[in-house]
């Protein structure tokens, strides 16, 4: 387990270093002059050169890289081209809203998927109820196939504009969380339900479940005490990975709902050519995803030590 943890920490460090290099290269791979692009073609040459010098973009690349990494270590991610506000301040103000949305969506997906997947497995065990199996598979496949932003648009059209039951945008209270959380959770819930069904069918076929049935244990006790705990390992693992993807994949959903998170900010930064802000947000998204994946690996190793043994 210790060797596995060290190996995963090394993998995390290498991935984080690659991410930092990619974020640094982003501003240098943009065709043309990013400062000129942000200030506009009519900006005087003196202003462009002064801004480049203030941002350190006139220095050699190795020196810029050292300065950039040193800034990251001390919490300095640069300043906005447009407002002059520190990028760390922009991220600190918006990251909690994005994390809250992703955590709520992940929790909602798990709470819906596990019971649904277990119910489908019990109903279709040993080839019974072919119609239920076909319906479950078809509906969950269709739900997974639809992008989150289309769910967001449809939910706004139905519940906010059509029925006028919920606010269409913004963060105005508990009710404002419902539509964006639902838009983010629908696809992952369907995917997790499919995983939960497969895992439940596997557990239902084990010897200890057959023994428990031979002892005529009540169905509720059998499913809750013997089947559910052994079903959750793979489902929770995938749920943790989905949390990372939801954090990075909430960009368009946040934009549709005008949510005050990082998603709307990165769209705004890209359209307005505010490259330091876009660079910082992309770096934070990537670092959060890597950190979530590391935590999922560690938790899985604790819950299922055989996975660490197999990897070693």
């Amino acid at each position: 387990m210790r060797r596995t943890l060290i190996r995963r920490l090394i993998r995390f460090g290498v991935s984080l270093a690659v991410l930092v290099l990619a974020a640094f290269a982003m501003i240098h791979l943009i065709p043309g002059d990013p400062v000129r692009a942000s200030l506009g073609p009519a900006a005087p040459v003196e202003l462009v050169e002064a801004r480049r010098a203030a941002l350190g973009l006139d220095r050699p690349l190795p020196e810029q890289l050292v300065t950039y990494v040193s800034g990251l270590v001390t919490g300095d991610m640069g300043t906005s081209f447009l407002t002059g506000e520190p990028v760390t301040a922009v991220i600190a103000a918006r990251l909690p809203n994005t994390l809250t949305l992703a955590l709520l969506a992940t929790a909602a997906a798990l709470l819906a998927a596990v019971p649904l997947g277990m119910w489908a497995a019990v109903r279709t065990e040993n080839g019974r109820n072919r119609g239920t199996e076909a319906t479950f598979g078809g509906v969950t496949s269709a739900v997974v196939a639809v992008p989150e932003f289309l769910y967001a648009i449809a939910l706004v059209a139905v519940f906010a504009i059509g029925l006028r039951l919920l606010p269409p945008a913004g963060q105005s209270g508990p009710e404002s969380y419902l539509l964006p959380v639902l838009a983010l959770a629908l696809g992952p819930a369907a995917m997790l339900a499919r995983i939960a069904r497969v895992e439940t069918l596997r557990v239902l076929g084990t010897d200890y479940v057959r023994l428990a049935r031979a002892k005529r244990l009540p169905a509720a006790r059998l499913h809750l005490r013997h089947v559910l705990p052994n079903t959750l390992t793979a489902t929770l693992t995938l749920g943790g990975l989905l949390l990372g993807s939801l954090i990075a994949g909430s960009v368009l959903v946040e934009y549709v709902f005008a949510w005050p998170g990082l998603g709307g900010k990165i769209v705004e930064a890209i359209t307005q050519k505010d490259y330091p802000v876009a660079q910082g947000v992309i770096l934070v998204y990537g670092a959060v995803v890597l950190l979530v994946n590391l935590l999922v690996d560690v938790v899985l190793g604790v819950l299922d030590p055989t996975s660490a043994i197999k990897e070693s």
Side-chain angles (χ1 to χ4, degrees), residues 1-304:
M1 183 63 190
R2 184 181 303 172
R3 289 196 300 269
T4 302
L5 179 60
I6 293 173
R7 186 182 300 112
R8 287 170 178 168
L9 287 173
I10 293 174
R11 186 189 307 165
F12 172 78
V14 172
S15 301
L16 189 60
V18 172
L19 175 64
V20 170
L21 289 176
F24 170 77
M26 169 187 166
I27 202 169
H28 299 281
L29 295 177
I30 297 170
D33 187 349
V35 177
R36 167 65 70 181
S38 65
L39 294 177
V45 176
E46 295 79 7
L47 177 60
V48 174
E49 293 301 325
R51 179 63 64 87
R52 286 179 57 83
L55 296 172
L57 296 177
D58 58 340
R59 290 178 289 179
L61 278 180
E63 185 178 344
Q64 291 185 46
L65 177 59
V66 171
T67 302
Y68 180 68
V69 174
S70 301
L72 292 180
V73 172
T74 59
D76 181 11
M77 304 179 74
T79 58
S80 168
F81 277 176
L82 300 178
T83 65
E85 186 180 6
V87 175
T88 50
V90 175
I91 293 173
R94 291 176 170 261
L95 180 59
N97 295 329
T98 294
L99 291 177
T100 301
L101 203 61
L103 286 169
L104 289 174
T106 302
L110 286 169
L111 290 174
V114 173
L116 180 60
M118 290 186 64
W119 171 83
V122 173
R123 289 274 298 172
T124 60
E125 186 183 6
N126 297 324
R128 296 184 290 112
N129 297 312
R130 295 289 186 180
T132 301
E133 181 178 358
T135 302
F136 175 83
V139 170
T140 52
S141 297
V143 172
V144 170
V146 178
E148 289 91 346
F149 74 92
L150 290 182
Y151 283 128
I153 295 172
L155 290 171
V156 169
V158 174
F159 293 100
I161 298 176
L163 300 177
R164 298 182 181 274
L165 295 176
L166 296 168
Q171 188 184 28
S172 56
E175 68 279 358
S176 64
Y177 284 83
L178 294 177
L179 293 184
V181 167
L182 186 58
L184 283 173
L186 282 172
M191 182 186 300
L192 288 172
R194 296 172 67 92
I195 299 297
R197 175 181 175 271
V198 172
E199 285 298 301
T200 302
L201 288 174
R202 179 187 63 80
V203 174
L204 289 173
T206 56
D207 292 337
Y208 64 86
V209 171
R210 285 196 289 264
L211 178 61
R213 281 175 167 169
K215 293 181 178 179
R216 299 186 180 277
L217 288 182
R221 183 179 178 185
L222 171 69
H223 294 148
L224 292 177
R225 293 192 57 182
H226 297 278
V227 177
L228 178 60
N230 294 283
T231 300
L232 286 179
T233 302
T235 307
L236 289 177
T237 301
L238 185 57
L241 297 176
L242 281 173
L243 172 60
S245 66
L246 283 175
I247 292 172
S250 63
V251 173
L252 293 179
V253 172
E254 289 187 11
Y255 188 72
V256 170
F257 289 102
W259 191 259
L262 289 180
K265 192 61 182 178
I266 193 174
V267 173
E268 175 187 322
I270 291 173
T271 55
Q272 296 182 353
K273 298 181 175 59
D274 195 352
Y275 297 117
V277 174
Q279 186 182 43
V281 173
I282 290 173
L283 181 60
V284 168
Y285 272 139
V288 170
V289 171
L290 291 176
L291 182 60
V292 169
N293 290 344
L294 174 64
L295 292 176
V296 169
D297 285 343
V298 172
V299 171
L300 180 61
V302 173
L303 294 177
D304 184 13

